[in-house]
Amino acid sequence: MRILAKPIKINPIIKKDLQVTARSMRLSWALFAYEVILTLAFLLALAIIQSDNNSYYSSRNIYSYLIYLFPVQAAVQAFIVALIVPIITAPSISGEKERQTFDIMLTTCMSPFSIVFGKVVSAVIRILFFVAAGMPIMALAFVVGGLEWSSLLYFILTIILLSVFSGSIGICCSAFCRKSIVAVVLSFIIYFVIYILTFVPTILRFLWSKGEHAGESMLFLLINPAVFFEEFFMQIMTGESAFGVAGSNFDKSEVGVITYSLSQGKTWMFLSAACIFILAILFMLAAAWKVNPMHSSSKNNFTGKSNRNKRKNKDVQ
Amino acid sequence: MLYINDLTKKYGSFTAVNHLSLHIPEGDLFGFVGPNGAGKTTTIRIVCGLLKASSGSVRIGSSEATVGTKEMKRLIGYVPDFFGVYDNLKVREYMDFYGSMYGMCSRDIAKLSDDLLELVNLSDKKEFYVDTLSRGMKQRLCVARALLHNPKLLILDEPSSGLDPRARVEMKELLKNLHSMGKTIVISSHILSELSEMCTSIGIMSHGQLITAGRIEDIMRQAAGGKRIHIQIASGIEIAVRLLQEQVGVIVESVRENEIIISNNNTDEQISALMGLLIQNQVVLTGFYREEGNLEALFMQLTGGDSQ
């Protein structure tokens, strides 16, 4: 009973960040913009399906194509989330440093990891505001039937994973950069590496095998959230593995045991989710290590007053 | 209370703090003085766990906790020279936020916040947004925030910098008040006159080294050379001058209508005997005092005239 009576302690950073965000007009404008984009995407997708229906399909089966509004909406939401999260998290620590509130934070009993974790979670919760706001539009795809409600739950879990991953990249850059703008730019560079450059080994291997298969080079794509997202929707919509279709409809001897095993069932999806989550934790640990004054390199922390003043003057110039 | 032992901080080949050893007793109001780049802020940041020392150790009271640990952080309240505030956060919420960061429960925070805001004269600003407060108010709020978890040691890094004269006086009174409550306070400041008025002991740093430290009276005596004495006389000034000139180790520096200024190297007992001698020889004394030192002059002398 005593355990039950004990109040649950919320990370104070989450509470403060949400409090400050809720009072800002920026949140309202951002939600408005988000809703507008989602509505436009919905209308556009609907228009395309209708025009296709007029030209190719009979009016009888248009409903079977309306189901694709769900992945379209989900992809648009995921894309916006992937764009928004680093913009929220990348300035979170560097912003505290710029505002000179971070030192006080570090002198409290909060551990560096709790600070970093709190920042990421508050970003994820803010993203959930957006996801919740997008739900009514998303729910339109359910009107025609054919979709399970559990799909929506999986979608939310996917968005949370994506937010944690993007948030951890943002927070890591924020910890390593003094200026927020540099942190945001660096986040998008890391995005480019993870989302785009992880395709390079696969493409090269594919070309090497004269367009037959990409083999184990596809393992690099385990950390690519875009591939994970595609796999997730392939599983939901068709029950098949995108990885299996794209890379491993081959014999074990052709693509290797690992690649072959991964293409079976939902293995790729779960393994990819685990890899993305582990990578997110590693980014958060790196950020916590960096902001911990007892660990990080002393050169970067030379904050003697005369030196700080010099830096300030330099900034002004 | 605060034991700093052989503390050194190096940045490559540059030594910011050089083998600093210092002991600040419990209940002291200790002033840290030194020119820019002397290593005061670096020392303070090391003590607060914001910077890793190259070598040496810091201990608070009987606690065996090391710098940067939660146990150590609980013992220290830190007020930086400049701190930012969050937009859209009220004074009450600001206190609540930092109280929660020390693991305190909301009820305790609310009760303590009320008391502390009363102490720093901000109880009527509880529902104001922090960014709308004046600089002086923000600084006092920061002191209240630093006291929220009832630390044993309060460290203030130049709390008066950028404050107007009124805010400075208010800050000084607040610190005196806290000192009278038994708090151990370490304050770094450039305003030497202010430090000499409120500190019980001071330490002067230059080029990363502690040049001198001790009770303020001793430092002031050292500043005056400790040896100039003003003797005010109603009658018998000629006899007094003759007697004083006959004494070994006493130099009559100046003679005015009713006052003689002497410098000497004698002990307090010898000075007392000297006064007795004057009285025995019918010299009527109306006053006698040791000249107070000038901290600024001592500071300039010890730091080799470094600009502040």
Side-chain angles (χ1 to χ4, degrees):
Chain A
M1 279 307 285
R2 245 183 221 172
I3 295 166
L4 287 174
K6 204 176 172 183
I8 300 163
K9 283 197 175 167
I10 303 167
N11 186 318
I13 298 197
I14 300 172
K15 192 179 165 191
K16 188 267 296 174
D17 277 1
L18 294 179
Q19 217 162 20
V20 170
T21 310
R23 285 182 182 144
S24 163
M25 276 301 288
R26 268 181 294 182
L27 180 71
S28 312
W29 284 114
L31 278 171
F32 175 71
Y34 184 75
E35 290 287 301
V36 169
I37 292 168
L38 276 189
T39 309
L40 290 176
F42 178 83
L43 293 174
L44 187 67
L46 197 63
I48 291 169
I49 289 169
Q50 276 179 334
S51 66
D52 279 355
N53 175 60
N54 291 337
S55 53
Y56 298 112
Y57 313 109
S58 69
S59 56
R60 229 176 9 184
N61 64 7
I62 182 174
Y63 290 106
S64 61
Y65 289 93
L66 283 176
I67 201 171
Y68 288 103
L69 284 173
F70 179 65
V72 168
Q73 287 293 301
V76 171
Q77 287 211 43
F79 180 72
I80 299 171
V81 164
L83 279 180
I84 291 175
V85 180
I87 295 170
I88 294 175
T89 51
S92 57
I93 288 179
S94 50
E96 297 268 2
K97 286 181 199 164
E98 283 169 2
R99 219 183 291 124
Q100 300 196 0
T101 45
F102 197 60
D103 277 354
I104 301 178
M105 217 178 247
L106 286 175
T107 60
T108 65
C109 291
M110 291 277 286
S111 67
F113 187 78
S114 303
I115 295 174
V116 166
F117 184 72
K119 291 280 181 194
V120 173
V121 173
S122 75
V124 173
I125 293 174
R126 273 177 275 178
I127 287 305
L128 289 177
F129 289 163
F130 286 85
V131 174
M135 276 302 149
I137 302 170
M138 197 83 174
L140 289 172
F142 286 79
V143 174
V144 291
L147 277 169
E148 305 241 341
W149 285 103
S150 58
S151 306
L152 203 58
L153 179 72
Y154 290 137
F155 166 71
I156 292 169
L157 290 176
T158 310
I159 285 287
I160 290 173
L161 180 69
L162 195 63
S163 310
V164 170
F165 181 69
S166 308
S168 64
I169 292 174
I171 207 87
C172 189
C173 296
S174 194
F176 279 86
C177 300
R178 279 190 205 286
K179 293 198 169 183
S180 302
I181 185 73
V182 181
V184 174
V185 171
L186 186 62
S187 301
F188 283 110
I189 290 172
I190 295 176
Y191 255 46
F192 177 76
V193 171
I194 293 174
Y195 279 81
I196 309 293
L197 293 189
T198 47
F199 277 105
V200 171
T202 307
I203 294 167
L204 289 177
R205 180 74 172 82
F206 198 68
L207 293 173
W208 182 259
S209 66
K210 293 181 181 152
E212 285 189 3
H213 60 83
E216 277 154 12
S217 61
M218 284 188 83
L219 293 177
F220 283 100
L221 296 174
L222 278 171
I223 58 161
N224 191 323
V227 175
F228 166 76
F229 208 71
E230 195 209 343
E231 174 74 13
F232 168 74
F233 273 102
M234 277 293 280
Q235 291 283 357
I236 280 187
M237 305 303 289
T238 65
E240 287 180 15
S241 169
F243 183 70
V245 173
S248 303
N249 276 346
F250 297 94
D251 215 56
K252 266 184 211 176
S253 56
E254 284 177 299
V255 291
V257 179
I258 300 172
T259 318
Y260 180 81
S261 307
L262 285 174
S263 65
Q264 307 303 308
K266 292 179 179 172
T267 318
W268 173 275
M269 192 176 79
F270 287 119
L271 191 65
S272 180
C275 287
I276 289 169
F277 186 70
I278 289 167
L279 200 58
I281 298 287
L282 290 177
F283 275 121
M284 281 193 257
L285 286 172
W289 176 84
K290 180 62 191 168
V291 299
N292 188 344
M294 296 295 114
H295 291 160
S296 52
S297 63
S298 56
K299 261 187 186 174
N300 294 338
N301 279 318
F302 186 15
T303 42
K305 202 162 289 160
S306 48
N307 201 51
R308 266 190 287 165
N309 291 341
K310 271 184 213 165
R311 208 186 298 143
K312 264 183 209 168
N313 294 338
K314 208 175 166 188
D315 287 347
V316 170
Q317 282 163 13
Chain B
M1 165 60 69
L2 176 65
Y3 300 89
I4 298 175
N5 186 29
D6 205 25
L7 195 72
T8 299
K9 177 67 190 173
K10 286 184 177 177
Y11 297 98
S13 59
F14 175 70
T15 306
V17 179
N18 194 2
H19 298 285
L20 173 79
S21 290
L22 178 68
H23 169 226
I24 299 171
E26 192 163 357
D28 246 24
L29 204 168
F30 183 87
F32 231 154
V33 192
N36 280 339
K40 306 183 300 292
T41 300
T42 305
T43 306
I44 285 176
R45 290 175 67 81
I46 291 171
V47 173
C48 293
L50 291 171
L51 208 53
K52 193 180 178 183
S54 303
S55 65
S57 64
V58 177
R59 193 162 59 83
I60 294 179
S62 54
S63 168
E64 289 300 319
T66 49
V67 169
T69 57
K70 272 186 191 177
E71 294 75 29
M72 187 72 139
K73 286 175 177 178
R74 254 180 228 288
L75 301 172
I76 299 171
Y78 172 58
V79 179
D81 61 330
F82 180 80
F83 67 100
V85 289
Y86 301 102
D87 302 336
N88 300 325
L89 206 63
K90 291 178 180 176
V91 168
R92 180 177 44 80
E93 292 160 350
Y94 177 83
M95 296 291 277
D96 184 62
F97 171 54
Y98 283 104
S100 324
M101 291 191 91
Y102 282 102
M104 297 166 69
C105 72
S106 299
R107 204 185 307 150
D108 290 348
I109 296 169
K111 193 183 172 302
L112 275 166
S113 291
D114 286 348
D115 296 345
L116 287 167
L117 291 175
E118 180 84 46
L119 180 76
V120 299
N121 245 337
L122 288 175
S123 38
D124 55 332
K125 306 282 181 197
K126 234 188 301 184
E127 295 301 323
F128 280 55
Y129 285 102
V130 180
D131 57 340
T132 63
L133 300 181
S134 69
R135 173 101 198 230
M137 286 177 185
K138 280 180 194 167
Q139 201 73 317
R140 279 185 281 141
L141 175 64
C142 198
V143 173
R145 188 269 312 151
L147 291 168
L148 200 54
H149 61 292
N150 194 21
K152 284 190 174 181
L153 179 68
L154 181 65
I155 299 177
L156 302 100
D157 191 5
E158 300 199 17
S160 301
S161 75
L163 297 187
D164 62 43
R166 189 186 173 84
R168 271 184 196 179
V169 171
E170 284 170 349
M171 179 55 79
K172 195 169 78 180
E173 288 309 312
L174 172 63
L175 293 177
K176 278 184 178 175
N177 205 357
L178 288 170
H179 177 238
S180 67
M181 290 173 177
K183 279 269 174 239
T184 309
I185 302 170
V186 174
I187 169 172
S188 105
S189 177
H190 279 182
I191 306 158
L192 301 176
S193 55
E194 202 173 76
L195 284 184
S196 62
E197 277 174 40
M198 65 177 170
C199 291
T200 51
S201 53
I202 62 165
I204 299 179
M205 270 190 96
S206 181
H207 301 293
Q209 287 179 313
L210 188 69
I211 299 172
T212 186
R215 307 292 302 168
I216 191 85
E217 309 84 53
D218 299 336
I219 299 281
M220 293 299 242
R221 199 170 294 159
Q222 192 187 339
K227 311 299 177 192
R228 290 185 87 190
I229 294 170
H230 292 238
I231 306 167
Q232 286 155 342
I233 295 167
S235 69
I237 198 155
E238 296 81 9
I239 303 165
V241 170
R242 183 173 49 78
L243 284 169
L244 290 168
Q245 281 171 341
E246 284 170 5
Q247 302 303 310
V248 178
V250 174
I251 299 163
V252 177
E253 281 195 357
S254 72
V255 180
R256 292 176 199 157
E257 199 181 340
N258 292 315
E259 189 181 60
I260 303 170
I261 300 171
I262 62 165
S263 61
N264 71 98
N265 294 318
N266 294 340
T267 61
D268 286 351
E269 288 76 21
Q270 285 169 321
I271 298 290
S272 175
L274 188 63
M275 293 306 122
L277 182 72
L278 292 177
I279 292 163
Q280 279 169 17
N281 285 279
Q282 316 303 320
V283 176
V284 181
L285 299 182
T286 55
F288 165 79
Y289 67 90
R290 205 184 284 273
E291 195 173 275
E292 281 285 312
N294 182 339
L295 193 58
E296 273 169 31
L298 177 73
F299 177 82
M300 294 303 280
Q301 183 195 328
L302 290 175
T303 58
D306 282 348
S307 63
Q308 283 184 59

